[in-house]
Amino acid sequence: MTSHEDSRGAAVVRDTGTSTPLRGPHDVGGLPAGPISLDEHATTEWEYRCWAIATLLRDPMRGARIGRPGEALAGLDESRRHGEELGDRYVKLAYGERAVHALTRMLVRRGVLDEAEIAARLASIA
Amino acid sequence: MTATLHETIAPRFGVGDRVTVRLAWPPGHIRTPVYCRGHTGIIERLCGSFPNPEELAFGRPGLPEQPLYRVRFRSLDLWPDYAEGHDDVVEIEIYQHWLQPASSVEQGQHHQDVRA
Amino acid sequence: MNLPVADEAVKDSGYYRRLQAAVEELLILKGIVGREEIDREVAIMEARSYRRGAAVVARAWVDPAYRARLLADGAGAVRELGIEIGALHLIVVENTAQLHNVIVCTLCSCYPRALLGMPPDWYKNIEYRSRVVREPRAVLAEFGLALADDVAVRVHDSTADMRYLVLPQRPEGTQGWSEEQLLEIVSRDALVGVAVPVAVPAAPPSPASPAPGLAA
């Protein structure tokens, strides 16, 4: 990887296809990869419920329930960003696992939930 | 700037225009895949205007809306060693702020193959 | 305090299933979402199936005017059939004798869920997303689809706000088939472009198991 700066000072590099901080772990188009597994799992209940919650929270009316009128409490691109920020851990998680991770990070970052209360709740769930 | 839901940027390109994708690696949430950056293709259609996902990713409104195009690239232009069909193409949705008119300077300035 | 992430041990203990439950319970306790709202949303998602897309294709095969409307305005033509797809922006791409279309989202897993339901695992996995733009014919061969050399491949990378549906070619040997018969030979994979329909007559439908997923 070589790099220099363009006229506006933004980093410009010649990408070499290896994993770098400048190619997100999700941006895999064109990279070598192994055979495609055609095994499929049926979407689980918790995967459906995670997606359902994210869908409901994207409604801009939702924030009014916690005194934040006109504010959506989730966003699709925001959720993707939190998944991408997993870095090297991105590929270790299944799609549904990344979705739960991203939803949780997003709610913590937005101040809707805090990590301590999530951890406490988690301890009560078998 | 006062943003409204209808605030958009005027489309700069028309169907058939040759465009080059910016060769840049900004941080953040980017919807322009690395494999097409620096490459030249042709506008296939204008899809409409949409909030900028790079802003939405950080909880901002993403306004003004950016025109979104579908850009058609010859697979052989994306990967000079592409070994399948000569007429194969890839079409990618790209927002206007990632596109420049393909000029004589920019043509032929493709960055090296991502597998190189 | 940091919640654990991506550790094999926590994965194996059902960590993400439990994390989902914890987040859901807290959101309900705070009055942000209701359990019934989530149940309702899940029911809507479970009712969506690729068979709705197959019904769209079958209609396009028997009705040339509908086919033209579908190619010009995908979402509008889908709604004509009473299929609820919300704000979906749909582009329908048509296979011909000279052109084969295949859909991918290399960046995540954008998929027309509102029309077809949840995407299959292979669509979401790294291997398909990495390779189908770079070597589509090799990938299609792994799905058992061999394309003739004189057929061009058009890969659609669904990177932004549009979603895609492939309109396959109506196979030879289906002259005189009803729309219902045609629907039965359109697979999910054909709607993504990793398969093509073939004229295998379907078994007569059982009255006990009506076609799922057609209701909105």
Side-chain angles (χ1 to χ4, degrees):
Chain A
M1 164 106 27
T2 60
S3 69
H4 61 277
E5 291 191 343
D6 72 10
S7 57
R8 284 157 299 183
V12 172
V13 301
R14 301 282 161 177
D15 185 70
T16 55
T18 54
S19 177
T20 76
L22 297 174
R23 177 198 278 271
H26 64 294
D27 191 351
V28 295
L31 295 179
I36 291 156
S37 167
L38 299 183
D39 293 342
E40 296 184 30
H41 87 291
T43 305
T44 63
E45 179 73 9
W46 66 264
E47 289 171 321
Y48 271 126
R49 297 187 79 78
C50 175
W51 191 264
I53 289 168
T55 302
L56 292 168
L57 296 184
R58 285 201 292 269
D59 180 350
M61 304 300 287
R62 193 59 54 168
R65 299 196 178 195
I66 51 169
R68 290 152 72 162
E71 185 183 333
L73 300 180
L76 195 55
D77 284 291
E78 195 176 337
S79 167
R80 290 171 181 153
R81 170 175 71 90
H82 286 293
E84 292 159 16
E85 288 177 356
L86 280 163
D88 291 343
R89 297 171 298 182
Y90 177 94
V91 295
K92 296 182 184 168
L93 295 196
Y95 183 86
E97 295 172 332
R98 285 199 297 268
V100 174
H101 168 84
L103 175 66
T104 308
R105 295 307 317 163
M106 185 164 50
L107 291 171
V108 169
R109 190 69 65 88
R110 281 174 169 262
V112 178
L113 302 179
D114 71 57
E115 292 200 19
E117 66 184 340
I118 296 170
R121 197 82 203 172
L122 197 53
S124 75
I125 295 170
Chain B
M1 175 168 9
T2 305
T4 74
L5 283 176
H6 303 291
E7 187 183 345
T8 62
I9 291 172
R12 188 180 170 196
F13 304 109
V15 172
D17 286 359
R18 287 173 56 78
V19 290
T20 300
V21 184
R22 284 174 50 216
L23 182 58
W25 273 261
H29 171 74
I30 306 297
R31 301 299 295 181
T32 305
V34 163
Y35 75 86
C36 72
R37 296 188 200 168
H39 290 277
T40 296
I42 288 172
I43 300 286
E44 188 266 345
R45 77 178 75 180
L46 172 63
C47 300
S49 291
F50 297 88
N52 183 350
E54 296 165 24
E55 298 289 315
L56 293 175
F58 291 88
R60 298 189 288 263
L63 300 175
E65 293 185 340
Q66 281 283 344
L68 176 69
Y69 302 90
R70 281 164 49 75
V71 183
R72 177 176 298 169
F73 300 88
R74 293 175 67 235
S75 302
L76 268 168
D77 287 342
L78 292 170
W79 297 285
D81 66 341
Y82 183 80
E84 296 194 345
H86 186 266
D87 296 325
D88 294 355
V89 300
V90 180
E91 296 187 359
I92 311 173
E93 291 167 46
I94 305 178
Y95 298 91
Q96 178 162 285
H97 63 289
W98 273 91
L99 299 175
Q100 306 160 309
S103 69
S104 53
V105 174
E106 282 141 356
Q107 284 175 33
Q109 222 184 33
H110 299 165
H111 68 300
Q112 68 193 80
D113 177 69
V114 294
R115 290 173 123 180
Chain C
M1 163 127 2
N2 271 311
L3 295 164
V5 60
D7 175 85
E8 290 303 318
V10 298
K11 262 185 83 163
D12 290 346
S13 67
Y15 174 71
Y16 289 96
R17 171 186 58 76
R18 292 169 53 238
L19 182 57
Q20 187 282 323
V23 167
E24 174 176 329
E25 287 177 15
L26 287 168
L27 291 172
I28 290 170
L29 280 171
K30 290 170 187 279
I32 296 172
V33 294
R35 194 174 301 284
E36 304 70 27
E37 284 183 303
I38 302 171
D39 292 345
R40 205 155 47 234
E41 197 64 34
V42 170
I44 290 169
M45 287 190 289
E46 285 177 331
R48 293 171 180 156
S49 143
Y50 77 92
R51 291 183 62 88
R52 303 164 80 189
V56 169
V57 167
R59 173 63 60 87
W61 281 348
V62 300
D63 181 345
Y66 181 78
R67 171 184 158 277
R69 293 198 297 281
L70 183 66
L71 294 172
D73 172 15
V78 166
R79 292 191 188 100
E80 271 185 50
L81 301 189
I83 298 173
E84 173 54 54
I85 52 170
L88 184 71
H89 298 283
L90 186 70
I91 291 178
V92 179
V93 292
E94 183 180 38
N95 288 348
T96 69
Q98 292 82 38
L99 178 68
H100 183 84
N101 293 280
V102 60
I103 314 302
V104 64
C105 168
T106 62
L107 298 177
C108 43
S109 303
C110 298
Y111 188 80
R113 292 162 191 256
L115 179 61
L116 303 183
M118 301 298 252
D121 286 325
W122 54 259
Y123 188 87
K124 297 181 281 195
N125 288 346
I126 295 294
E127 290 79 14
Y128 179 78
R129 287 161 48 191
S130 300
R131 292 176 54 209
V132 75
V133 287
R134 183 72 172 86
E135 45 177 2
R137 291 166 198 265
V139 166
L140 295 177
E142 287 179 35
F143 283 90
L145 178 59
L147 293 181
D149 289 345
D150 63 348
V151 176
V153 177
R154 188 173 291 172
V155 183
H156 301 268
D157 193 351
S158 180
T159 51
D161 297 275
M162 303 293 118
R163 299 293 178 268
Y164 297 86
L165 181 76
V166 174
L167 174 55
Q169 281 188 283
R170 179 170 173 170
E172 299 291 331
T174 57
Q175 294 82 350
W177 286 28
S178 70
E179 202 173 325
E180 292 71 24
Q181 287 174 300
L182 290 168
L183 187 158
E184 295 297 331
I185 62 168
V186 181
S187 69
R188 176 199 65 198
D189 289 1
L191 300 170
V192 183
V194 298
V196 295
V198 291
V200 178
S206 156
S209 56
L214 287 174

